[in-house]
Amino acid sequence: MIYGYIRVSTRDQNEDRQLIALREQKVAEDNLFVDKQSGKDFQRPQYRRMVRKLKKDDLLYIKSIDRLGRNYGEILEQWRVLTKEKGIDIVVLDMPLLDTRRGKDLVGTFLSDIVLQVLSFVAENERANIRQRQAEGIAAAKARGVRFGRPPRPLPDGYHSAYQRWKAGAITGTAAAKECGMALATFRYRAELYEPAETT
């Protein structure tokens, strides 16, 4: 049997490019499995469903190695499970060297393993770079004063009075929070934000 696996990172991304490539390999529609979620691990419903169906000597097509996954260690482990334990062949269309049907001798297997390790590392490295760029972008935005998350709710009318009495030690934090209709943690969090505003 011939199978095809497709993955896009989000529901908004389009899988057409991968679909076209796999249909050109004559993969039947019933044997196409599509996941719309991150490649950080292999806990994906369609992938797991497909693996349960795979039998010895079946053939699996994927468009590129990063469609299989983005975690270096897990890609290598899944490749081992599929090729050694399940006994299937895998063809990565964007990388002809990653075709386990060819070169089943020692040299072919060795070459395939090296290419797989390099590509898996590149896929995970790109994922790490994306995370770093996102973190840097968020830090730069925060430095410019951009606020993330929901805007805080307006403070209740009696907040200033309760805050002042709490700061002076006249009432406890629990009493002040109750007076404002807030949880104690919320009252304390808002107090931390309120203090700089009071001093400016």
Side-chain angles (χ1 to χ4, degrees):
M1 292 286 280
I2 300 174
Y3 293 90
Y5 180 69
I6 292 168
R7 183 185 66 78
V8 289
S9 297
T10 67
R11 296 199 170 273
D12 299 332
Q13 286 184 335
N14 196 311
E15 66 270 21
D16 287 353
R17 190 175 62 88
Q18 294 177 69
L19 270 171
I20 291 164
L22 296 183
R23 283 173 181 153
E24 284 173 358
Q25 304 303 318
K26 307 291 189 275
V27 180
E29 295 295 318
D30 288 349
N31 289 344
L32 285 170
F33 293 83
V34 182
D35 276 313
K36 296 192 175 187
Q37 67 185 86
S38 164
K40 65 183 169 62
D41 60 41
F42 284 85
Q43 303 306 310
R44 302 175 226 137
Q46 290 302 305
Y47 180 81
R48 290 164 71 93
R49 192 169 147 247
M50 178 190 72
V51 170
R52 284 196 297 271
K53 285 188 138 198
L54 292 169
K55 302 279 189 297
K56 189 174 182 340
D57 297 325
D58 284 346
L59 175 60
L60 172 63
Y61 283 103
I62 54 174
K63 180 80 171 78
S64 58
I65 196 69
D66 65 343
R67 297 305 87 204
L68 186 61
R70 288 191 174 273
N71 180 301
Y72 173 56
E74 290 198 12
I75 291 173
L76 296 175
E77 174 60 16
Q78 285 301 308
W79 191 276
R80 186 193 65 75
V81 167
L82 295 173
T83 59
K84 304 291 193 292
E85 291 181 17
K86 286 276 186 181
I88 70 157
D89 278 310
I90 304 174
V91 176
V92 179
L93 296 173
D94 284 357
M95 182 56 60
L97 282 171
L98 285 177
D99 181 343
T100 60
R101 297 171 303 176
R102 295 184 193 153
K104 297 245 179 190
D105 60 357
L106 189 60
V107 174
T109 303
F110 178 67
L111 185 60
S112 182
D113 283 352
I114 287 174
V115 172
L116 174 64
Q117 293 213 27
V118 170
L119 289 176
S120 301
F121 173 77
V122 168
E124 184 169 14
N125 199 46
E126 177 57 20
R127 185 165 156 255
N129 287 340
I130 289 168
R131 279 201 309 266
Q132 185 176 344
R133 287 195 294 269
Q134 285 173 337
E136 287 168 356
I138 290 168
K142 283 183 176 176
R144 292 193 310 270
V146 175
R147 297 189 64 157
F148 293 88
R150 290 181 304 183
R153 288 183 181 172
L155 292 169
D157 291 337
Y159 186 85
H160 181 75
S161 167
Y163 171 82
Q164 292 293 346
R165 284 181 287 127
W166 169 70
K167 281 298 277 184
I171 58 173
T172 65
T174 304
K178 190 171 182 182
E179 201 174 298
C180 296
M182 294 175 158
L184 179 58
T186 306
F187 177 82
R188 287 191 170 148
Y189 170 72
R190 296 302 293 270
E192 284 177 20
L193 301 177
Y194 196 66
E195 283 172 24
E198 279 281 286
T199 57
T200 55

